[in-house]
Amino acid sequence: DVKVTQSSRYLVKRTGEKVFLECVQDMDHENMFWYRQDPGLGLRLIYFSYDVKMKEKGDIPEGYSVSREKKERFSLILESASTNQTSMYLCASSSGKNEQFFGPGTRLTVL
Amino acid sequence: AQTVTQSQPEMSVQEAETVTLSCTYDTSESDYYLFWYKQPPSRQMILVIRQEAYKQQNATENRFSVNFQKAAKSFSLKISDSQLGDAAMYFCAYPPVSGSARQLTFGSGTQLTVLP
């Protein structure tokens, strides 16, 4: 089975802190994604990557950056966390046009 | 902007009954996949069913089936013999035309409650 893991289930940070969310997949998928999930808004794509060191902006990239130095690892970075970035963050991976496999999510609270 | 619409924010069904969740989308592509995902209260999102748009036959996975109306751009999920474990948030998703074929656009979700 595909396994996608995220570094933390729950995270509490203060405004202005730099925050790293990490995601690791074990199925050699070339595509990896970061979403945020908010009630009533579904999942919104922040960034995705289709290869090592490659990245593309999603629908809501402002305030976020990403890093993909190795194929299995995709990091989401909040350079200076703000309260409006309090959300559930989901990582996913896929191969080609196939379905995406999701991690368990990180609930981030920014105080 | 490409959109996918789930018009039912909440639905409920009696255990053992059948329920249909609706989804409509907007695309001018002819060959694409459509997906239904389930997110139980534990939050791990899992794939329920996948439909390939070029196939006329509706996809079926055990108690889950789709009613795919390509011309109407409608992709509904039918759950038969509902079980308590089916209670979850359900999202439909499809690849938007303007983005990479690798991306998916998700609907806002339907919260399904199963009543004992």
Side-chain angles (χ1 to χ4, degrees), chain B residues 84-109:
Chain B
L84 295 177
D86 295 334
M89 181 73 86
Y90 287 82
F91 295 95
C92 63
Y94 85 107
V97 173
S98 58
S100 160
R102 306 171 186 93
Q103 291 173 253
L104 291 177
T105 293
F106 287 81
S108 55

Side-chain angles (χ1 to χ4, degrees), chain B residues 11-17 82-85 87 112-116:
Chain B
M11 290 195 74
S12 62
V13 62
Q14 209 70 38
E15 200 175 0
E17 297 294 310
S82 298
Q83 301 176 359
L84 295 177
L112 179 66
T113 300
V114 181
L115 305 169

Side-chain angles (χ1 to χ4, degrees), chain B residues 9-66:
Chain B
E10 297 178 347
M11 290 195 74
S12 62
V13 62
Q14 209 70 38
E15 200 175 0
E17 297 294 310
T18 295
V19 65
T20 298
L21 310 182
S22 66
C23 175
T24 58
Y25 59 96
D26 179 22
T27 184
S28 56
E29 293 287 297
S30 58
D31 181 15
Y32 50 90
Y33 292 106
L34 293 160
F35 305 94
W36 275 99
Y37 282 87
K38 169 185 177 181
Q39 188 180 39
S42 64
R43 297 195 180 98
Q44 186 94 34
M45 188 91 75
I46 56 174
L47 180 71
V48 174
I49 198 164
R50 176 175 72 173
Q51 174 76 43
E52 297 174 55
Y54 67 89
K55 288 188 176 179
Q56 294 190 350
Q57 186 174 7
N58 289 326
T60 299
E61 287 286 342
N62 300 315
R63 296 181 297 105
F64 297 87
S65 62
V66 303

